[in-house]
Amino acid sequence: MKVLMFGWEFPPHISGGLGTACYGLVKGLVHHKQDIIFVVPKLWGDEEPLADFVNASGVTIDYREKKFRQIWKNLTYLEVGSFLVPYLSPEEFKKYTDYAMHDRVDVDESVFSNKFEFSGKYGKDLMMEVSRYALVAAQIAKSKEHDVIHAHDWLAYPAGIAAKHMSGKPLVAHIHATEFDRSGESVNKPVFDIEYAGLHAADHVVAVSHLTRNIVINKYGVHPDKVSVLHNAVLDSSIIESKVKKKVPEKIVTFLGRITFQKGPEYFVEAAKKVIDRDPNVRFVMAGNGDLLNRMIDRVAELGMGTRFHFTGFLKGQDVDDMYAMSDVYVMPSVSEPFGIAPLEAVRHNTPVIISKQSGVAEVLQNAVKIDFWDVDAMADAIFALLHYPSISKMFKELGSEELKNLKWEHVAAKLVTVYDKITKE
């Protein structure tokens, strides 16, 4: 089967879990003999040749064609005055403007070009790029033979809709995170509207957890029969034997993720204070960046933990692996986590994990300590126990590593192939 797949990023050029998940899924589908045409706004040239990669920046279109004009008319052109990211937490919108230009026949042709150039980043022109990406998607759907369309998250939904409009092939909308995960109840309406349109235009919706599936059904009004759950997996289930050594004698407890509302960093800070009050010989690390970083630094100072609490900034590559390896406990206190691959990576480094019950990974990782994100007392108790009772820590390490063997992308891809088969035969 030929799958026309739209994403926004692909390793090694990624900003979060979305690109990693796309890589794992493509690798799993190739294992099951599926032909993948993977489209991204911008190719960098060093992507692993797993698929027929298409660089949206290199596609020539003629928007004057009737179908293209109809697609463009239905797209919303927005100028976004702040930073937006797909799988991550969006900053507050400072401004947005609907230019309402698509109904005009005399539109200034400088707005368009035969070949759009995409930055491939998440900058202030993101909404404009999303709209133009959809237009290019229609051209790709017209020129590339395919049986099914698969769009990853809201940035690619307009592209998936446009491709379906052009080719008439069934569309799978893969939702890795919803706007309710990123922003709570104070959703950014333009993003919500794109998600809503994509989920309802799709012939089938794939959610990364039952938690996400329930949001899709209850918040977006999608019929339950149309939504399947495909949990994420790990690229490699083998345990990593790291040679990195800690430079400090104290135990290390780590938060590694975006420092945003969704990830619950403030609960980690409050729990850290409770642990340090019981045992001052513990160091806490908050690795990552985000809009709550300065507030967290201020709170740590208020609580007098400056000598026991460290902020590393954004980590990537080997630094991430080294951080997991040096940690005695990894904590993911997410307020709303569609899945959360990071705890699985921590387990690969033989690090016991504490995860919130409000996470998708809690549905598949049984051998972890699970707490409510808001229960800082329970979080502190769990941290203290894993640090001070070696037998408990050892048990979670051993059982957790065994669990990873069943969390393979090949298994996820096999279930996805059945979804493809079903919707192409309907």
Side-chain angles (χ1 to χ4, degrees):
M1 186 175 295
K2 287 185 178 295
V3 183
L4 178 57
M5 190 172 287
F6 293 96
W8 199 263
E9 58 182 30
F10 199 86
H13 302 277
I14 59 173
S15 293
L18 178 60
T20 302
C22 287
Y23 175 79
L25 195 60
V26 167
K27 202 166 185 178
L29 288 169
V30 169
H31 176 81
H32 290 286
K33 312 301 182 186
Q34 305 298 298
D35 293 326
I36 312 298
I37 304 163
F38 198 96
V39 187
V40 285
K42 183 180 179 68
L43 278 180
W44 301 89
D46 53 357
E47 292 82 3
E48 188 176 336
L50 291 171
D52 174 10
F53 283 101
V54 178
N55 182 3
S57 294
V59 175
T60 301
I61 65 169
D62 184 357
Y63 74 90
R64 297 166 186 81
E65 190 174 326
K66 186 176 179 180
K67 271 199 173 183
F68 286 104
R69 279 200 173 274
Q70 187 61 38
I71 290 168
W72 184 250
K73 181 178 177 180
N74 292 332
L75 294 170
T76 302
Y77 184 101
L78 293 171
E79 178 184 312
V80 181
S82 58
F83 192 79
L84 271 178
V85 284
Y87 187 61
L88 328 180
S89 173
E91 302 286 342
E92 180 183 1
F93 275 21
K94 293 181 180 175
K95 63 176 181 175
Y96 66 92
T97 308
D98 185 351
Y99 287 94
M101 61 169 59
H102 306 130
D103 288 330
R104 289 175 50 191
V105 176
D106 61 336
V107 61
D108 181 356
E109 293 196 10
S110 67
V111 172
F112 303 95
S113 75
N114 286 335
K115 189 183 289 185
F116 297 132
E117 187 68 33
F118 297 95
S119 69
K121 298 180 181 178
Y122 308 118
K124 65 178 183 178
D125 296 325
L126 183 58
M127 283 294 189
M128 180 182 70
E129 293 203 351
V130 168
S131 294
R132 294 183 176 184
Y133 186 42
L135 200 61
V136 172
Q139 175 63 42
I140 295 169
K142 179 184 177 183
S143 59
K144 291 276 189 179
E145 181 184 341
H146 59 283
D147 302 301
V148 66
I149 302 160
H150 190 139
H152 290 278
D153 258 7
W154 72 269
L155 288 169
Y157 288 171
I161 294 170
K164 180 181 178 180
H165 180 81
M166 181 60 73
S167 70
K169 299 298 184 181
L171 168 65
V172 173
H174 201 140
I175 189 150
H176 298 261
T178 72
E179 183 57 14
F180 291 94
D181 296 307
R182 291 182 290 263
S183 302
E185 294 299 320
S186 302
V187 297
N188 289 309
K189 194 170 186 304
V191 178
F192 171 83
D193 289 344
I194 291 174
E195 287 180 335
Y196 185 92
L199 295 172
H200 283 272
D203 296 270
H204 199 84
V205 177
V206 172
V208 295
S209 63
H210 292 284
L211 181 76
T212 304
R213 180 177 184 269
N214 290 337
I215 293 174
V216 168
I217 294 167
N218 297 322
K219 299 288 190 180
Y220 295 83
V222 179
H223 195 283
D225 293 346
K226 187 175 159 178
V227 191
S228 296
V229 173
L230 288 183
H231 292 109
N232 287 334
V234 287
L235 294 172
D236 185 349
S237 60
S238 62
I239 297 300
I240 298 172
E241 298 294 340
S242 176
K243 295 181 179 179
V244 66
K245 300 296 182 184
K246 290 193 298 185
K247 300 293 195 298
V248 294
E250 298 90 353
K251 296 292 181 70
I252 295 176
V253 181
T254 298
F255 169 108
L256 195 155
R258 295 176 300 282
I259 306 175
T260 61
F261 160 81
Q262 180 189 353
K263 300 296 183 179
E266 60 266 48
Y267 303 102
F268 180 76
V269 170
E270 300 302 323
K273 172 62 174 172
K274 292 179 178 293
V275 173
I276 289 172
D277 284 346
R278 294 166 69 179
D279 180 2
N281 294 314
V282 180
R283 290 181 184 266
F284 286 80
V285 174
M286 183 167 281
N289 283 323
D291 59 303
L292 293 184
L293 175 59
N294 289 338
R295 191 187 303 178
M296 295 304 99
I297 293 173
D298 289 344
R299 183 58 178 156
V300 166
E302 287 175 7
L303 294 172
M305 298 189 295
T307 60
R308 285 291 176 265
F309 206 106
H310 308 273
F311 294 90
T312 69
F314 179 73
L315 299 181
K316 62 181 179 179
Q318 189 60 47
D319 289 337
V320 173
D321 289 336
D322 290 347
M323 193 68 252
Y324 284 132
M326 287 188 289
S327 301
D328 295 281
V329 177
Y330 172 80
V331 184
M332 188 186 78
S334 297
V335 173
S336 181
E337 186 71 52
F339 188 77
I341 291 179
L344 301 182
E345 292 300 323
V347 171
R348 285 194 66 210
H349 288 82
N350 236 353
T351 303
V353 300
I354 299 169
I355 55 180
S356 74
K357 295 176 182 177
Q358 293 74 25
S359 64
V361 71
E363 298 171 12
V364 297
L365 187 60
Q366 302 307 315
N367 292 290
V369 181
K370 301 173 188 180
I371 48 91
D372 290 304
F373 71 87
W374 44 262
D375 195 342
V376 294
D377 289 314
M379 193 186 306
D381 288 342
I383 293 170
F384 189 87
L386 288 172
L387 292 178
H388 291 86
Y389 300 100
S391 58
I392 297 177
S393 179
K394 181 182 178 183
M395 177 189 72
F396 279 112
K397 287 180 183 180
E398 293 175 350
L399 295 178
S401 62
E402 278 298 309
E403 273 195 280
L404 289 186
K405 296 175 182 177
N406 296 318
L407 301 176
K408 297 182 178 180
W409 281 110
E410 289 88 342
H411 299 162
V412 180
K415 294 177 183 177
L416 182 57
V417 171
T418 64
V419 172
Y420 290 160
D421 289 337
K422 179 184 176 184
I423 64 174
T424 53
K425 292 173 182 176
E426 289 178 346

